[in-house]
Amino acid sequence: MDKIPIAVLASERGSNFQAILDAIDRGECAAEVKVLITDNPEAKAIDRAKSKNIPVEIIDKKAVPDREQFDLEIKKKLDEYGVQLVVLAGYMRIIKSKELLDAYKYKIINIHPSLLPAFKGSTHAQHDAFKQGCKMSGLTIHFVTDDIDGGPILYQEAVEISDCKTGDEVADTIIKIEHEAYPQVVDSFARGKYEIQGRRVIYVAD
Ligand code: GRF
């Protein structure tokens, strides 16, 4: 089957990006990464892209301080590379441009390390769950809308964290499951249809 052209947006380590690349190599994810876009010239994700000869587009926030303009630069790149799905993988900026969100409506997905709406909007949801004394946390993959971490949910998985001794341990426990789940959702997106009915996302296989 044809592989869906995707863009990955990552700001830092990029381990989810790597998990997607590895799943593609194993033939388990029907996607082709057309471009890595980052706002951070130091992101480790850049090396991961380069080692696979994937084009890298660095849009430096210092060079483009205006938020709308910054997002429009991203949109320009997405259009240029003809992507059909935009995968946020540790992308640490909020997409604010309505023009970008409208143009890629239900084509931008994000992964959040909690069972949303728990710890919605937090950049350290795993540590929040630990401090809160949660026995279970998890991960959520959702469409990106103007409601931060509030878009329709494609996938959730609960992860037991009752044995974790630190917030970092919670993060290490959850990310292992993220690495399994994210490529699978990208693969499902490539192979079928996610229909939105109100707040619910219904998956229809092709
Ligand atoms: C992950 O925990 C993800 O859920 C969150 O940011 C982290 C990114 O990690 N959105 P990595 O850059 O993919 O290693």
Side-chain angles (χ1 to χ4, degrees), residues 18-188:
Q18 187 66 52
I20 290 168
L21 293 174
D22 293 346
I24 291 171
D25 282 352
R26 293 194 303 271
E28 292 171 6
C29 181
E32 183 184 351
V33 183
K34 291 285 185 190
V35 61
L36 170 77
I37 302 177
T38 184
D39 58 328
N40 174 15
E42 310 287 322
K44 187 159 187 272
I46 294 173
D47 297 333
R48 300 181 192 274
K50 285 190 174 159
S51 73
K52 290 274 174 201
N53 293 320
I54 292 167
V56 176
E57 298 286 353
I58 301 171
I59 306 172
D60 195 340
K61 48 192 169 214
K62 289 189 201 109
V64 191
D66 181 76
R67 296 297 297 258
E68 181 72 21
Q69 196 50 45
F70 185 91
D71 285 353
L72 292 180
E73 292 290 323
I74 292 181
K75 181 180 174 293
K76 210 157 82 187
K77 296 295 171 197
L78 298 174
D79 294 348
E80 206 175 294
Y81 284 92
V83 307
Q84 288 174 24
L85 175 67
V86 182
V87 177
L88 307 192
Y91 179 63
M92 300 310 285
R93 271 168 91 85
I94 294 160
I95 297 180
K96 297 214 163 170
S97 161
K98 187 169 159 26
E99 194 175 329
L100 169 55
L101 291 171
D102 284 352
Y104 286 86
K105 191 170 182 191
Y106 301 137
K107 287 184 180 163
I108 309 177
I109 60 174
N110 181 44
I111 188 162
H112 187 76
S114 76
L115 288 176
L116 287 170
F119 311 119
K120 183 173 182 271
S122 172
T123 53
H124 37 70
Q126 309 95 324
H127 292 79
D128 295 345
F130 180 74
K131 283 192 206 132
Q132 198 65 42
C134 297
K135 305 294 183 202
M136 300 294 291
S137 187
L139 63 98
T140 303
I141 297 167
H142 62 92
F143 283 114
V144 173
T145 64
D146 60 0
D147 180 10
I148 297 159
D149 293 333
I153 292 170
L154 293 98
Y155 182 83
Q156 279 189 309
E157 191 165 340
V159 179
E160 192 175 342
I161 56 166
S162 50
D163 289 340
C164 293
K165 306 277 185 294
T166 62
D168 284 345
E169 213 180 303
V170 173
D172 291 345
T173 305
I174 294 175
I175 199 132
K176 289 192 186 92
I177 316 300
E178 291 184 41
H179 293 165
E180 291 168 19
Y182 217 4
Q184 282 175 25
V185 169
V186 172
D187 186 61
S188 299

